[in-house]
Amino acid sequence: MPLLAPSVNGFWKRTHRSHGETLCFSALNQARTPYFYEQWEIPDTLEGRFDCAVLHLSLLLRQLNGPLAQAVFDHFFSYTDLTLREIGVGDLRVGKQVKACAKFFYGALKAYEDGLEDRTNLEEALIRNLYGNTSSLWAKEVELYVRTCDQMLKGQDLQKEITWPSLPF
């Protein structure tokens, strides 16, 4: 995903961010950490970065509910819409692309939730969603990272600024 531009259609010009927007950007910034792409070999493509962002948003949304969760979700999909437009997706196709992104998001959200609750295999969900069903030497380490994130987020006051694990952890 591109770096945040302060002036694209005035969308990011506001100087005051809502807390939902701040939390969303926190997850997006963590997902941009080069370690995911350089060390853990998550594909460094637009899709790979979207998949990594979805993982972090899923972890965050597990801990939120109500209007704050909705605000985080809304900001993420506003940003997704903006990113699609920036890369040149035409106005007539943006809606279809956002719908496809939302479908993936909800599927991944459920897969990660089930994996973290030990209803399914989390490592398999990570391989499917982050590595496109291609085996990875790093999937077990990514699973440990995801479980660490989940535990860290549970222990934080999400009404304040949040902390993600530093990498390598």
Side-chain angles (χ1 to χ4, degrees), residues 88-169:
V89 175
D91 288 342
L92 297 176
R93 293 198 33 94
V94 168
K96 289 180 184 180
Q97 290 293 327
V98 169
K99 185 176 180 179
C101 289
K103 184 177 179 181
F104 174 83
F105 180 86
Y106 284 120
L109 183 71
K110 176 150 180 35
Y112 296 141
E113 174 77 20
D114 288 348
L116 286 164
E117 296 297 326
D118 294 323
R119 292 187 291 258
T120 60
N121 187 311
L122 180 58
E123 184 179 358
E124 288 176 7
L126 293 166
I127 289 170
R128 184 174 55 253
N129 292 324
L130 292 178
Y131 295 102
N133 274 334
T134 304
S135 64
S136 170
L137 299 173
W138 303 105
K140 199 64 165 164
E141 198 168 329
V142 175
E143 178 184 7
L144 179 60
Y145 165 80
V146 168
R147 290 189 185 281
T148 300
C149 284
D150 190 52
Q151 290 304 309
M152 276 186 76
L153 290 170
K154 279 181 187 172
Q156 293 183 49
D157 179 0
L158 299 178
Q159 298 301 319
K160 298 180 180 175
E161 194 163 323
I162 61 173
T163 303
W164 296 89
S166 57
L167 292 168
F169 74 109

Side-chain angles (χ1 to χ4, degrees), residues 1 4 11-12 14 20-21 23-25 27-28 50-51 53-58 61 68-86 94-109:
M1 294 185 162
L4 293 176
F11 191 79
W12 300 111
R14 294 174 302 195
E21 187 175 20
L23 289 174
C24 177
F25 285 151
L28 292 175
F50 178 79
D51 298 345
V54 167
L55 170 63
H56 288 85
L57 264 292
S58 296
L61 289 172
L68 185 55
Q70 187 64 51
V72 169
F73 176 86
D74 291 346
H75 284 291
F76 177 63
F77 275 94
S78 292
Y79 184 63
T80 300
D81 180 283
L82 178 67
T83 300
L84 290 169
R85 291 175 191 282
E86 283 182 342
V94 168
K96 289 180 184 180
Q97 290 293 327
V98 169
K99 185 176 180 179
C101 289
K103 184 177 179 181
F104 174 83
F105 180 86
Y106 284 120
L109 183 71

Side-chain angles (χ1 to χ4, degrees), residues 3 27-45 48-49 52 56 131 138 142 145 165-168:
L3 295 176
L28 292 175
N29 286 333
Q30 182 69 9
R32 288 188 189 110
T33 305
Y35 196 83
F36 294 113
Y37 312 100
E38 295 168 359
Q39 180 62 38
W40 286 342
E41 300 176 348
I42 294 171
D44 193 4
T45 62
R49 286 179 175 261
C52 195
H56 288 85
Y131 295 102
W138 303 105
V142 175
Y145 165 80
S166 57
L167 292 168

